[in-house]
Amino acid sequence: MGAQRIDGRQVAERVLEHVRAEVRALTARDVVPHLAVVLVGDDPASATYVRSKANKARAVGMRSTVVHLSAGVTTDELVRRVRALSDDADIDGLIVQLPLPPHVDEAAVIAAIDPAKDVDGFTPENAGRLFRGDLGGLLPCTPRGILALLQAYDLPLAGRHAVVVGRSNIVGKPAAQLFLAHHATVTVVHSRSGPVGRYTRQADILVAAVGKRHFITPDDIKPGAAVIDVGIHRTETGQLTGDVAPDVEQVAGWLTPVPGGVGPMTVAMLLDNTVRAARLRRGWHDVARTGV
Ligand code: GUN
Protein backbone atom coordinates (compact mmCIF):
# COMPACT_ATOMS: atom_id res chain seq x y z
CA MET A 1 0.00 0.00 0.00
CA GLY A 2 1.03 3.63 0.36
CA ALA A 3 -0.15 6.78 -1.31
CA GLN A 4 0.20 7.37 -5.03
CA ARG A 5 2.78 10.08 -5.57
CA ILE A 6 1.56 13.17 -7.41
CA ASP A 7 4.46 14.14 -9.65
CA GLY A 8 4.52 17.94 -9.81
CA ARG A 9 7.65 18.05 -11.94
CA GLN A 10 6.00 15.97 -14.63
CA VAL A 11 2.75 17.96 -14.67
CA ALA A 12 4.71 21.24 -14.56
CA GLU A 13 6.72 20.10 -17.57
CA ARG A 14 3.48 19.59 -19.51
CA VAL A 15 2.33 23.11 -18.58
CA LEU A 16 5.72 24.51 -19.63
CA GLU A 17 5.48 22.76 -23.00
CA HIS A 18 2.22 24.63 -23.55
CA VAL A 19 3.85 27.89 -22.37
CA ARG A 20 6.84 27.40 -24.70
CA ALA A 21 4.48 26.97 -27.65
CA GLU A 22 2.61 30.13 -26.64
CA VAL A 23 5.87 32.08 -26.32
CA ARG A 24 6.88 30.92 -29.80
CA ALA A 25 3.53 32.04 -31.22
CA LEU A 26 3.81 35.43 -29.53
CA THR A 27 7.43 35.86 -30.58
CA ALA A 28 6.35 35.27 -34.18
CA ARG A 29 4.13 38.35 -33.70
CA ASP A 30 7.11 40.32 -32.33
CA VAL A 31 6.01 40.02 -28.72
CA VAL A 32 8.51 38.36 -26.40
CA PRO A 33 6.68 38.15 -23.05
CA HIS A 34 8.57 39.98 -20.31
CA LEU A 35 8.32 39.12 -16.61
CA ALA A 36 9.62 41.54 -13.97
CA VAL A 37 10.23 40.34 -10.41
CA VAL A 38 10.86 42.68 -7.49
CA LEU A 39 12.90 41.26 -4.63
CA VAL A 40 13.29 43.25 -1.42
CA GLY A 41 16.01 42.39 1.08
CA ASP A 42 18.29 39.40 1.44
CA ASP A 43 16.15 36.50 2.62
CA PRO A 44 17.95 33.50 1.09
CA ALA A 45 14.76 31.49 0.44
CA SER A 46 13.10 34.43 -1.37
CA ALA A 47 16.29 35.01 -3.39
CA THR A 48 16.27 31.34 -4.45
CA TYR A 49 12.60 31.47 -5.52
CA VAL A 50 13.15 34.67 -7.48
CA ARG A 51 16.19 33.26 -9.25
CA SER A 52 14.25 30.15 -10.13
CA LYS A 53 11.32 32.18 -11.54
CA ALA A 54 13.62 34.41 -13.62
CA ASN A 55 15.67 31.46 -14.93
CA LYS A 56 12.61 29.40 -15.83
CA ALA A 57 11.13 32.40 -17.65
CA ARG A 58 14.25 32.64 -19.81
CA ALA A 59 14.28 28.87 -20.32
CA VAL A 60 10.85 29.07 -22.00
CA GLY A 61 11.96 31.94 -24.24
CA MET A 62 10.65 34.90 -22.24
CA ARG A 63 12.56 37.91 -21.06
CA SER A 64 12.90 38.43 -17.33
CA THR A 65 14.12 41.29 -15.19
CA VAL A 66 14.88 41.11 -11.48
CA VAL A 67 14.83 44.37 -9.54
CA HIS A 68 16.61 43.87 -6.23
CA LEU A 69 16.03 46.55 -3.57
CA SER A 70 17.51 46.86 -0.10
CA ALA A 71 15.61 45.68 2.98
CA GLY A 72 15.53 49.29 4.17
CA VAL A 73 13.41 50.57 1.25
CA THR A 74 10.42 52.65 2.37
CA THR A 75 6.84 51.91 1.36
CA ASP A 76 6.76 55.13 -0.68
CA GLU A 77 9.92 54.31 -2.59
CA LEU A 78 8.80 50.72 -3.23
CA VAL A 79 5.37 51.89 -4.41
CA ARG A 80 7.12 54.33 -6.78
CA ARG A 81 9.33 51.59 -8.21
CA VAL A 82 6.44 49.16 -8.61
CA ARG A 83 4.31 51.82 -10.29
CA ALA A 84 7.14 52.63 -12.70
CA LEU A 85 7.49 48.97 -13.66
CA SER A 86 3.73 48.69 -13.98
CA ASP A 87 3.69 51.70 -16.32
CA ASP A 88 6.54 50.34 -18.44
CA ALA A 89 4.94 49.29 -21.74
CA ASP A 90 7.73 46.76 -22.25
CA ILE A 91 6.70 44.67 -19.22
CA ASP A 92 3.85 42.13 -19.42
CA GLY A 93 3.93 40.53 -15.97
CA LEU A 94 5.02 41.99 -12.64
CA ILE A 95 5.34 40.38 -9.22
CA VAL A 96 6.71 41.51 -5.88
CA GLN A 97 8.16 38.57 -4.00
CA LEU A 98 6.61 38.17 -0.54
CA PRO A 99 7.08 38.42 2.36
CA LEU A 100 8.16 42.07 2.49
CA PRO A 101 10.06 43.52 5.46
CA PRO A 102 7.66 44.25 8.35
CA HIS A 103 7.93 48.06 8.04
CA VAL A 104 6.57 47.97 4.47
CA ASP A 105 2.83 48.34 3.81
CA GLU A 106 2.29 45.22 1.71
CA ALA A 107 -1.25 46.15 0.67
CA ALA A 108 -0.09 49.54 -0.67
CA VAL A 109 2.66 47.86 -2.70
CA ILE A 110 0.33 45.26 -4.19
CA ALA A 111 -2.26 47.91 -5.03
CA ALA A 112 0.42 49.67 -7.12
CA ILE A 113 0.52 46.75 -9.57
CA ASP A 114 -1.58 47.13 -12.72
CA PRO A 115 -4.22 44.33 -12.48
CA ALA A 116 -3.55 43.56 -16.16
CA LYS A 117 0.09 42.73 -15.27
CA ASP A 118 -0.64 41.16 -11.87
CA VAL A 119 0.55 37.65 -12.72
CA ASP A 120 0.41 36.64 -9.03
CA GLY A 121 -3.31 37.48 -8.93
CA PHE A 122 -2.85 39.40 -5.66
CA THR A 123 -4.31 42.83 -6.53
CA PRO A 124 -7.69 43.78 -5.09
CA GLU A 125 -9.21 43.59 -8.58
CA ASN A 126 -8.02 40.08 -9.38
CA ALA A 127 -8.59 38.78 -5.82
CA GLY A 128 -12.08 40.34 -5.91
CA ARG A 129 -12.92 38.72 -9.21
CA LEU A 130 -11.91 35.32 -7.81
CA PHE A 131 -13.98 36.00 -4.69
CA ARG A 132 -16.98 36.53 -6.97
CA GLY A 133 -16.34 33.20 -8.71
CA ASP A 134 -15.15 34.94 -11.88
CA LEU A 135 -12.20 32.88 -13.14
CA GLY A 136 -11.48 35.20 -16.08
CA GLY A 137 -8.94 37.36 -14.21
CA LEU A 138 -5.34 36.48 -13.36
CA LEU A 139 -5.41 33.74 -10.72
CA PRO A 140 -2.86 33.10 -7.95
CA CYS A 141 -0.16 30.65 -9.03
CA THR A 142 -0.03 28.11 -6.19
CA PRO A 143 -3.83 27.57 -6.05
CA ARG A 144 -3.87 27.23 -9.86
CA GLY A 145 -1.01 24.75 -9.62
CA ILE A 146 -2.85 22.68 -6.99
CA LEU A 147 -5.98 22.61 -9.14
CA ALA A 148 -3.96 21.51 -12.16
CA LEU A 149 -2.39 18.68 -10.14
CA LEU A 150 -5.82 17.46 -8.99
CA GLN A 151 -7.08 17.59 -12.57
CA ALA A 152 -4.01 15.79 -13.91
CA TYR A 153 -4.67 12.91 -11.52
CA ASP A 154 -8.43 12.86 -12.16
CA LEU A 155 -9.26 13.96 -8.64
CA PRO A 156 -12.51 15.93 -8.99
CA LEU A 157 -13.48 18.72 -6.61
CA ALA A 158 -17.22 18.86 -7.32
CA GLY A 159 -19.16 17.53 -4.34
CA ARG A 160 -15.97 16.69 -2.40
CA HIS A 161 -14.92 18.13 0.91
CA ALA A 162 -11.73 20.14 0.56
CA VAL A 163 -10.05 21.24 3.79
CA VAL A 164 -7.45 24.00 3.51
CA VAL A 165 -5.10 24.39 6.46
CA GLY A 166 -3.82 27.98 6.45
CA ARG A 167 -5.52 31.27 5.56
CA SER A 168 -2.77 33.24 3.81
CA ASN A 169 -3.59 35.62 0.98
CA ILE A 170 -1.03 33.78 -1.17
CA VAL A 171 -2.38 30.24 -0.84
CA GLY A 172 -5.08 29.40 1.73
CA LYS A 173 -7.73 31.99 0.92
CA PRO A 174 -7.43 31.94 -2.88
CA ALA A 175 -7.25 28.10 -2.91
CA ALA A 176 -10.50 28.01 -0.92
CA GLN A 177 -12.16 30.39 -3.41
CA LEU A 178 -10.90 28.47 -6.42
CA PHE A 179 -12.13 25.15 -4.97
CA LEU A 180 -15.50 26.73 -4.22
CA ALA A 181 -15.74 27.90 -7.82
CA HIS A 182 -15.10 24.27 -8.79
CA HIS A 183 -18.01 23.15 -6.61
CA ALA A 184 -16.18 21.67 -3.63
CA THR A 185 -17.45 22.02 -0.08
CA VAL A 186 -14.65 24.01 1.53
CA THR A 187 -13.43 24.31 5.11
CA VAL A 188 -10.60 26.69 6.01
CA VAL A 189 -8.72 25.83 9.19
CA HIS A 190 -6.17 28.16 10.82
CA SER A 191 -4.10 28.90 13.88
CA ARG A 192 -7.15 29.74 16.04
CA SER A 193 -9.13 26.66 15.01
CA GLY A 194 -7.85 24.49 17.85
CA PRO A 195 -6.73 20.92 17.12
CA VAL A 196 -7.05 20.60 13.35
CA GLY A 197 -7.60 16.84 13.19
CA ARG A 198 -11.35 17.03 13.75
CA TYR A 199 -11.61 19.00 10.51
CA THR A 200 -8.84 17.48 8.45
CA ARG A 201 -10.06 13.93 9.11
CA GLN A 202 -13.17 14.82 7.11
CA ALA A 203 -11.18 15.93 4.07
CA ASP A 204 -11.34 14.17 0.73
CA ILE A 205 -8.78 16.72 -0.40
CA LEU A 206 -6.44 18.24 2.16
CA VAL A 207 -4.22 21.23 1.42
CA ALA A 208 -1.51 21.89 3.99
CA ALA A 209 -0.33 25.50 3.74
CA VAL A 210 0.55 26.26 7.35
CA GLY A 211 4.28 26.91 7.20
CA LYS A 212 5.01 24.46 10.04
CA ARG A 213 7.24 21.50 9.38
CA HIS A 214 5.44 18.11 9.58
CA PHE A 215 2.37 19.75 11.11
CA ILE A 216 -0.02 17.25 9.49
CA THR A 217 0.39 13.71 10.86
CA PRO A 218 -1.21 10.38 9.87
CA ASP A 219 -3.84 10.86 12.59
CA ASP A 220 -5.10 13.94 10.73
CA ILE A 221 -5.89 12.06 7.52
CA LYS A 222 -8.95 10.22 6.27
CA PRO A 223 -7.70 6.99 4.67
CA GLY A 224 -7.46 7.43 0.91
CA ALA A 225 -7.53 11.25 0.93
CA ALA A 226 -5.57 13.36 -1.56
CA VAL A 227 -2.99 15.38 0.38
CA ILE A 228 -1.35 18.45 -1.16
CA ASP A 229 1.70 19.71 0.70
CA VAL A 230 2.46 23.40 0.09
CA GLY A 231 5.11 23.72 2.84
CA ILE A 232 8.82 24.07 2.15
CA HIS A 233 11.26 23.83 5.03
CA ARG A 234 15.00 23.25 5.02
CA THR A 235 16.18 20.76 7.65
CA GLU A 236 19.45 21.05 9.59
CA THR A 237 21.04 18.72 7.04
CA GLY A 238 19.93 20.94 4.17
CA GLN A 239 17.15 18.67 2.89
CA LEU A 240 13.77 20.08 1.89
CA THR A 241 10.63 18.86 3.64
CA GLY A 242 7.01 19.96 3.91
CA ASP A 243 4.09 20.72 6.23
CA VAL A 244 3.11 17.04 6.00
CA ALA A 245 4.93 14.32 7.98
CA PRO A 246 6.42 11.62 5.72
CA ASP A 247 4.43 8.76 7.32
CA VAL A 248 1.17 10.35 6.09
CA GLU A 249 2.11 8.39 2.99
CA GLN A 250 0.86 5.24 4.79
CA VAL A 251 -2.70 6.60 5.13
CA ALA A 252 -3.27 8.99 2.21
CA GLY A 253 -4.46 7.87 -1.22
CA TRP A 254 -2.44 10.52 -3.07
CA LEU A 255 0.37 12.74 -1.84
CA THR A 256 2.55 15.49 -3.32
CA PRO A 257 6.26 15.18 -2.50
CA VAL A 258 8.47 18.03 -1.26
CA PRO A 259 10.42 18.89 -3.32
CA GLY A 260 8.84 18.04 -6.67
CA GLY A 261 5.17 18.61 -5.87
CA VAL A 262 3.54 22.02 -5.65
CA GLY A 263 6.77 24.07 -6.05
CA PRO A 264 7.35 23.44 -9.77
CA MET A 265 3.64 24.02 -10.44
CA THR A 266 3.73 27.48 -8.87
CA VAL A 267 6.52 28.56 -11.23
CA ALA A 268 4.85 26.96 -14.27
CA MET A 269 1.58 28.77 -13.52
CA LEU A 270 3.41 32.08 -13.06
CA LEU A 271 4.78 31.71 -16.58
CA ASP A 272 1.41 30.64 -17.94
CA ASN A 273 -0.12 33.74 -16.31
CA THR A 274 2.59 35.89 -17.91
CA VAL A 275 1.72 34.58 -21.37
CA ARG A 276 -1.97 35.22 -20.65
CA ALA A 277 -1.21 38.75 -19.48
CA ALA A 278 0.88 39.44 -22.60
CA ARG A 279 -2.05 38.38 -24.78
CA LEU A 280 -4.89 39.91 -22.82
CA ARG A 281 -3.40 43.36 -22.46
CA ARG A 282 -3.09 43.53 -26.25
CA GLY A 283 -6.72 42.52 -26.59
CA TRP A 284 -5.72 39.21 -28.19
CA HIS A 285 -8.03 36.36 -27.45
CA ASP A 286 -7.25 34.06 -24.57
CA VAL A 287 -6.06 30.56 -25.36
CA ALA A 288 -7.34 27.48 -23.55
CA ARG A 289 -5.82 27.59 -20.12
CA THR A 290 -3.99 24.68 -18.60
CA GLY A 291 -5.48 23.51 -15.36
CA VAL A 292 -8.32 25.95 -14.81
N1 GUN B 1 6.02 34.11 -1.60
C1 GUN B 1 5.65 32.82 -1.49
N2 GUN B 1 4.90 32.43 -2.54
C2 GUN B 1 4.79 33.52 -3.34
C3 GUN B 1 4.14 33.74 -4.59
O1 GUN B 1 3.48 32.87 -5.18
N3 GUN B 1 4.27 34.99 -5.09
C4 GUN B 1 4.96 35.98 -4.44
N4 GUN B 1 5.03 37.17 -5.00
N5 GUN B 1 5.57 35.80 -3.29
C5 GUN B 1 5.49 34.57 -2.75
Side-chain angles (χ1 to χ4, degrees):
M1 273 286 289
Q4 184 177 339
R5 178 192 160 91
I6 294 179
D7 188 342
R9 287 202 182 104
Q10 192 177 72
V11 181
E13 201 39 58
R14 289 210 291 271
V15 175
L16 291 174
E17 278 304 317
H18 169 88
V19 170
R20 268 186 213 101
E22 283 300 310
V23 171
R24 270 196 299 273
L26 286 166
T27 304
R29 297 173 78 169
D30 286 330
V31 174
V32 183
H34 187 178
L35 172 68
V37 183
V38 178
L39 170 65
V40 179
D42 299 302
D43 175 60
S46 288
T48 303
Y49 299 143
V50 165
R51 213 165 24 239
S52 157
K53 290 169 182 180
N55 290 342
K56 263 277 180 322
R58 288 186 202 119
V60 298
M62 293 185 191
R63 289 174 295 159
S64 64
T65 299
V66 176
V67 177
H68 190 178
L69 303 173
S70 87
V73 72
T74 62
T75 296
D76 283 354
E77 175 60 15
L78 185 52
V79 164
R80 255 197 306 278
R81 297 294 294 263
V82 168
R83 213 167 263 145
L85 289 163
S86 233
D87 289 344
D88 183 341
D90 194 49
I91 287 170
D92 297 293
L94 170 59
I95 70 169
V96 179
Q97 186 65 25
L98 303 177
L100 292 169
H103 68 273
V104 173
D105 179 349
E106 181 187 294
V109 173
I110 288 173
I113 301 171
D114 177 353
K117 300 186 178 184
D118 167 30
V119 286
D120 259 333
F122 291 167
T123 56
E125 174 164 327
N126 284 313
R129 287 181 69 173
L130 174 58
F131 188 88
R132 290 181 46 81
D134 167 3
L135 302 182
L138 290 164
L139 296 168
C141 305
T142 300
R144 268 198 77 195
I146 294 170
L147 187 65
L149 286 176
L150 295 172
Q151 290 178 342
Y153 283 79
D154 285 326
L155 296 164
L157 278 158
R160 304 294 163 96
H161 187 187
V163 177
V164 179
V165 188
R167 55 172 158 176
S168 69
N169 289 319
I170 299 177
V171 183
K173 276 189 270 181
Q177 295 300 340
L178 193 57
F179 293 171
L180 209 47
H182 285 265
H183 314 295
T185 301
V186 180
T187 300
V188 181
V189 178
H190 52 78
S191 53
R192 303 284 181 94
S193 300
V196 299
R198 60 191 158 138
Y199 307 107
T200 59
R201 276 192 289 276
Q202 297 174 33
D204 302 308
I205 293 149
L206 176 63
V207 174
V210 226
K212 292 188 181 144
R213 180 184 162 186
H214 298 180
F215 183 75
I216 300 293
T217 66
D219 260 3
D220 298 322
I221 306 293
K222 175 159 89 175
V227 179
I228 308 294
D229 190 350
V230 180
I232 305 184
H233 312 277
R234 201 170 278 283
T235 67
E236 306 72 40
T237 59
Q239 276 180 316
L240 293 180
T241 191
D243 287 354
V244 176
D247 46 356
V248 162
E249 198 256 343
Q250 303 298 322
V251 187
W254 290 266
L255 178 62
T256 60
V258 177
V262 172
M265 293 302 294
T266 296
V267 180
M269 289 306 178
L270 173 67
L271 302 183
D272 192 70
N273 275 348
T274 304
V275 162
R276 286 196 72 221
R279 281 184 165 279
L280 291 174
R281 78 186 187 90
R282 289 175 175 83
W284 296 349
H285 75 88
D286 203 3
V287 287
R289 227 184 319 186
T290 324
V292 182

